[in-house]
Amino acid sequence: MQKYWGLILMLFLSLSCKDGKTVNQELSKKKIASIVPIKKPIVKQFGFNLDEFTVKQDTVKRGDSFGELMLQHKVEYPKIAKITEEFRDTFDVRRIRVGKPYLILKSKDTTETAQVFIYENDPINYTVVDLRDSVVAYKEKKEVKYKEREASGVIETSLSEAILDQGIDYNVTNNLSEIYAWTIDFFRLQKGDKFKVIYKEKYINDSIYAGAGPIEAAYFEHEGRPIYAFAYENDSLKSIVDYFDEEANNLRRTFLRAPVQFSRISSRYNLKRRIRYYGNKVRPHKGTDYAAPLGTPIMATADGTVTESTRRGGNGKYVKIRHNGTYSTQYLHMKKQNVKRGDYVRQGDIIGWIGMTGNTSGPHVCYRFWKNGRQVDPLREELPKAEPLAESLQPAYFEYITPKKDQLDCILYPEMPVEEDFPSEDMVSLNK
Ligand SMILES: [Zn+2]
């Protein structure tokens, strides 16, 4: 059976080339700081000095209404009516949602009358209803700052809960696997494959971690073969960002490597396959089987038009897509299709879900790759590349990537993990 190594996400804040300390020393200090949000006492927030008010902080409960909350805090009815009627575009009181946080800033005198109502639409956007003097409502955003981060890792064991256990943002792995989805077969990662990445982290009000931003530059070494990736705006009119290598080749291919993310190849394309069930007769397998849990989304590996979406015999429920005059792909044993005949699908669109319909002993998708009307092994095909960066953009591109590439080259790999921190033997053997 295929070995497959997932990423263990060991993200290490690394050093500049000239710094002498080891990565692990640095890690022990900085890792914690980068993951645990620093809680500051609330002093000035949302543009108000909260010390000047009695602050009630709560979340919207079932049955709460804006009017009711205001009446409880001694706001006169005409003011409530004014907000409800005149500021509907800014703050639609009917749309306050259960679970959303809000603040009521009350006067510090004995009346404790509400002065300001602040509703948090999401972690970044909020709405202020100022009830003092002439009533107004306005929308504001918290200040979001981006901090650049560097990380690196060596693939040691399978992708697992360890990623989350370490408190690393899952989006970083996810983004990395998307950037390299066309060039690296993530089902056949090898122990010792390495990566480096430069990305941004979002912080609200300088201190509250708000997730990982997109990857700016990355390096992946698979079976000793290095692949650089640099984010660059391909089309400034449409703001389309693509990833290119150090020679301005597009990292995308016209086909994804696999129709499912993070699964396992359970059976490869094999014209000489023998099956015991059929008396060890040769039963060619003209597909590649990807085993994954029931209900896992199945993606179109390239843009195209759905030519079949039906249920038939051993194939079970399946979808077939025509990509162009040369290529078609087919996806068998679905639990349910998500497209119908004639639909146009884009690469990565969910066309159905992993199931067990037709002849199958376990949940998987049998992926069939047709070239000029014949079924071939996609893992052996040299897949056509997407367009390289336009020649007119290349001089600026090379200028842009030179320092980024130097920066990547300077990132050190972490020392191999110590035993108590990482699952080792057991995890590996489970996944063989
Ligand atoms: Zn199959």
Side-chain angles (χ1 to χ4, degrees), residues 204-415:
I204 300 169
N205 294 338
D206 267 342
S207 59
I208 301 158
Y209 179 67
I215 289 173
E216 295 184 337
Y219 170 89
F220 210 109
E221 198 178 308
H222 175 50
E223 294 181 315
R225 187 170 69 101
I227 308 175
Y228 285 92
F230 301 96
Y232 203 71
E233 202 171 63
N234 199 357
D235 183 334
S236 56
L237 286 177
K238 295 181 197 154
S239 313
I240 294 173
V241 172
D242 246 331
Y243 287 86
F244 300 91
D245 69 11
E246 73 277 25
E247 287 167 351
N249 295 311
N250 200 321
L251 258 70
R252 274 192 299 114
R253 298 294 182 269
T254 44
F255 286 91
L256 290 175
R257 271 279 169 207
V260 262
Q261 242 188 334
F262 303 124
S263 65
R264 175 173 64 84
I265 294 177
S266 49
S267 171
R268 280 194 63 167
Y269 180 96
N270 179 2
L271 297 178
K272 294 179 190 141
R273 180 178 66 166
R274 289 172 191 277
I275 292 182
R276 193 176 297 154
Y277 180 80
Y278 296 112
N280 280 330
K281 288 207 182 92
V282 173
R283 295 276 156 166
H285 184 223
K286 292 185 174 175
T288 309
D289 291 346
Y290 292 89
L294 278 175
T296 302
I298 299 170
M299 299 174 290
T301 54
D303 296 358
T305 304
V306 176
T307 53
E308 291 176 70
S309 177
T310 184
R311 176 172 195 148
R312 193 179 304 147
N315 287 356
K317 292 185 184 175
Y318 72 92
V319 168
K320 192 170 181 183
I321 301 169
R322 183 183 187 274
H323 304 291
N324 53 35
T326 309
Y327 296 106
S328 293
T329 54
Q330 199 180 359
Y331 314 75
L332 314 186
H333 314 308
M334 287 179 172
K335 182 179 176 195
K336 192 169 180 267
Q337 296 101 321
N338 195 34
V339 289
K340 49 186 196 312
R341 197 175 153 204
D343 283 354
Y344 182 74
V345 292
R346 302 303 308 267
Q347 184 175 61
D349 281 356
I350 295 170
I351 53 168
W353 294 273
I354 293 270
M356 289 183 63
T357 55
N359 289 344
T360 163
S361 54
H364 77 279
V365 58
C366 183
Y367 176 55
R368 299 189 166 205
F369 196 85
W370 300 75
K371 187 179 182 182
N372 297 319
R374 290 179 49 227
Q375 294 188 63
V376 297
D377 183 356
L379 298 176
R380 289 187 193 280
E381 286 291 312
E382 188 60 48
L383 300 176
K385 286 178 186 171
E387 288 289 297
L389 190 66
E391 220 152 292
S392 60
L393 298 175
Q394 289 191 9
Y397 173 76
F398 290 124
E399 198 172 320
Y400 166 77
I401 69 163
T402 304
K404 289 270 173 220
K405 185 169 176 291
D406 289 345
Q407 191 183 347
L408 276 176
D409 291 343
C410 277
I411 299 174
L412 300 178
Y413 291 110
E415 287 164 17

Side-chain angles (χ1 to χ4, degrees), residues 40-256:
K40 278 189 195 165
I42 299 165
V43 184
K44 184 154 185 174
Q45 272 194 14
F46 307 102
F48 292 91
N49 182 353
L50 300 193
D51 285 344
E52 292 171 3
F53 303 92
T54 301
V55 179
K56 176 188 158 78
Q57 208 165 2
D58 206 343
T59 54
V60 177
K61 302 285 186 303
R62 197 168 293 281
D64 277 353
S65 75
F66 173 74
E68 197 59 41
L69 285 170
M70 292 301 97
L71 285 173
Q72 282 166 18
H73 292 89
K74 306 185 181 118
V75 177
E76 294 145 22
Y77 190 76
K79 282 188 173 182
I80 300 170
K82 190 174 176 189
I83 288 294
T84 312
E85 285 155 23
E86 289 177 27
F87 291 92
R88 191 172 296 173
D89 290 345
T90 313
F91 181 56
D92 189 343
V93 299
R94 295 163 307 175
R95 295 232 171 138
I96 63 167
R97 296 232 310 270
V98 172
K100 294 278 184 189
Y102 67 84
L103 273 77
I104 297 175
L105 312 185
K106 299 183 280 188
S107 58
K108 274 196 162 170
D109 58 31
T110 48
T111 68
E112 292 215 327
T113 308
Q115 309 277 294
V116 180
F117 177 77
I118 300 161
Y119 175 74
E120 297 195 51
N121 304 69
D122 58 52
I124 292 167
N125 295 288
Y126 61 94
T127 307
V128 175
V129 179
D130 194 332
L131 301 149
R132 299 171 295 187
D133 311 326
S134 63
V135 181
V136 287
Y138 54 89
K139 283 181 175 160
E140 277 291 353
K141 265 182 200 310
K142 292 180 194 165
E143 191 186 6
V144 177
K145 281 196 180 159
Y146 290 88
K147 286 184 194 167
E148 190 179 273
R149 288 284 176 207
E150 296 175 350
S152 66
V154 179
I155 281 118
E156 175 63 18
T157 167
S158 66
L159 181 73
S160 70
E161 291 297 313
I163 293 170
L164 296 173
D165 288 350
Q166 289 188 78
I168 304 300
D169 202 307
Y170 185 76
N171 280 333
V172 176
T173 339
N174 215 31
N175 293 343
L176 202 59
S177 69
E178 274 172 20
I179 293 168
Y180 289 104
W182 291 272
T183 45
I184 293 173
D185 187 347
F186 275 80
F187 311 103
R188 291 189 289 173
L189 290 183
Q190 302 291 320
K191 187 170 181 167
D193 283 355
K194 302 172 180 127
F195 67 88
K196 297 173 179 186
V197 60
I198 302 170
Y199 66 103
K200 290 237 165 84
E201 283 181 344
K202 285 183 267 187
Y203 286 87
I204 300 169
N205 294 338
D206 267 342
S207 59
I208 301 158
Y209 179 67
I215 289 173
E216 295 184 337
Y219 170 89
F220 210 109
E221 198 178 308
H222 175 50
E223 294 181 315
R225 187 170 69 101
I227 308 175
Y228 285 92
F230 301 96
Y232 203 71
E233 202 171 63
N234 199 357
D235 183 334
S236 56
L237 286 177
K238 295 181 197 154
S239 313
I240 294 173
V241 172
D242 246 331
Y243 287 86
F244 300 91
D245 69 11
E246 73 277 25
E247 287 167 351
N249 295 311
N250 200 321
L251 258 70
R252 274 192 299 114
R253 298 294 182 269
T254 44
F255 286 91
L256 290 175

